[in-house]
Amino acid sequence: VSLCYDELSMRAKSDFGGLRYYNTDVDRRFRVLFVLGGPGAGKGTQSNLMVENYPVVHFSVGELLRNVPEGSPHKATIDQTLVAGKIVPVEISLSLLKAAMEDARQHVGAHALFLVDGFPRNYDNLAGWCRVMNADAVLEGVLVYQCPLPVLQERILQRAKDSGRADDNLESVKKRFRTFERETMPVLDALRTAAAQHNSTKQRYAVIDIAGYKPLEDV
Ligand code: ADP
């Protein structure tokens, strides 16, 4: 029942900007938008704005990782990986994400969209997602916030003043941006190619590029 009914998707246009309609009484899968972009591109800021204006739920994978409690066996690995600007193993990030999504489902309507911010960051993440989530989630689209490094650096240094994040410094930003270019960009390319090739209505998702360097209201 995840089929796209033309008439119903037309009706949904006014609510969801043209996203497909699902019979959520029958189809219990999570409806997901991946949110990607370099560090400081505005993923969190724009996701929060969406939460205020649409029936969406926001999960920042980075935030889930940073909030892992002191006693967790993964704490040391996570902290070291984040400061080095690297990518946390998918078993860890995905288990946190899945638990958070399942928890949220109890509180939000079945029709809500799940913004998954900062994932998938590399092929390992994408492969993990396919392995663990394919049966439970439908990918509706990918939002990509485009922003050049000099702008990101300026924003992160600004954010560092009160974020308290160990990875909000010039050195980590450069490393995170390099990781984004080297590991996340190829995944985005793969997602774009797959989106272009999916001509069955059931599979189709959109990859949407957004000029994240523009002033907040424009974005
Ligand atoms: P991300 O989640 O992609 O790492 P954030 O949403 O935390 O990025 O934004 C990083 C910093 O840049 C924050 O301090 C935020 O207030 C600021 N910021 C976000 N979007 C814009 C924008 N369009 N113009 C100027 N500053 C922005």
Side-chain angles (χ1 to χ4, degrees):
V1 191
S2 62
L3 292 176
C4 163
Y5 299 98
D6 279 345
E7 187 209 332
L8 293 170
S9 68
M10 289 296 285
R11 181 145 38 115
K13 262 182 188 154
S14 56
D15 304 328
F16 278 134
L19 291 176
R20 285 171 295 179
Y21 173 87
Y22 285 88
N23 181 346
T24 48
D25 287 339
V26 184
D27 190 334
R28 300 286 301 159
R29 291 179 297 172
F30 296 111
R31 306 177 62 200
V32 170
L33 293 180
F34 289 150
V35 181
L36 289 168
K43 302 182 290 294
T45 305
Q46 297 298 331
S47 296
N48 289 337
L49 285 171
M50 276 188 250
V51 167
E52 284 170 25
N53 292 290
Y54 300 98
V56 301
V57 193
H58 173 226
F59 300 95
S60 158
V61 174
E63 212 165 286
L64 290 170
L65 290 165
R66 287 191 297 277
N67 290 340
V68 160
E70 286 301 333
S72 158
H74 301 308
K75 182 75 179 163
T77 312
I78 293 173
D79 288 355
Q80 284 160 15
T81 312
L82 292 182
V83 172
K86 294 191 176 151
I87 295 159
V88 173
V90 70
E91 289 70 26
I92 300 178
S93 50
L94 211 47
S95 67
L96 292 170
L97 178 63
K98 196 169 183 206
M101 285 170 73
E102 268 158 11
D103 187 46
R105 174 137 69 184
Q106 329 256 337
H107 308 290
V108 297
H111 60 291
L113 271 173
F114 289 73
L115 299 177
V116 174
D117 159 0
F119 192 95
R121 289 183 189 268
N122 60 9
Y123 279 119
D124 180 51
N125 276 185
L126 185 59
W129 176 271
C130 295
R131 230 174 18 243
V132 178
M133 297 297 283
N134 249 7
D136 299 323
V138 183
L139 180 64
E140 294 280 6
V142 186
L143 304 180
V144 188
Y145 292 96
Q146 303 283 1
C147 204
L149 182 59
V151 178
L152 298 178
Q153 284 175 340
E154 203 175 301
R155 287 186 189 173
I156 294 288
L157 291 184
Q158 199 61 32
R159 187 173 74 180
K161 290 180 184 165
D162 49 23
S163 76
R165 282 176 54 170
D167 59 352
D168 272 357
N169 57 70
L170 209 52
E171 212 39 53
S172 283
V173 172
K174 283 186 193 153
K175 287 182 189 160
R176 285 153 67 199
F177 188 71
R178 268 201 299 277
T179 302
F180 175 73
E181 282 187 317
R182 211 178 291 148
E183 302 200 41
T184 311
M185 295 277 220
V187 171
L188 275 171
D189 290 341
L191 286 167
R192 277 182 222 282
T193 306
Q197 284 168 351
H198 279 155
N199 48 16
S200 108
T201 339
K202 198 177 165 188
Q203 298 275 330
R204 194 179 301 145
Y205 61 90
V207 181
I208 300 158
D209 287 291
I210 298 158
Y213 52 84
K214 290 193 175 174
L216 206 120
E217 297 74 21
D218 293 356
V219 182

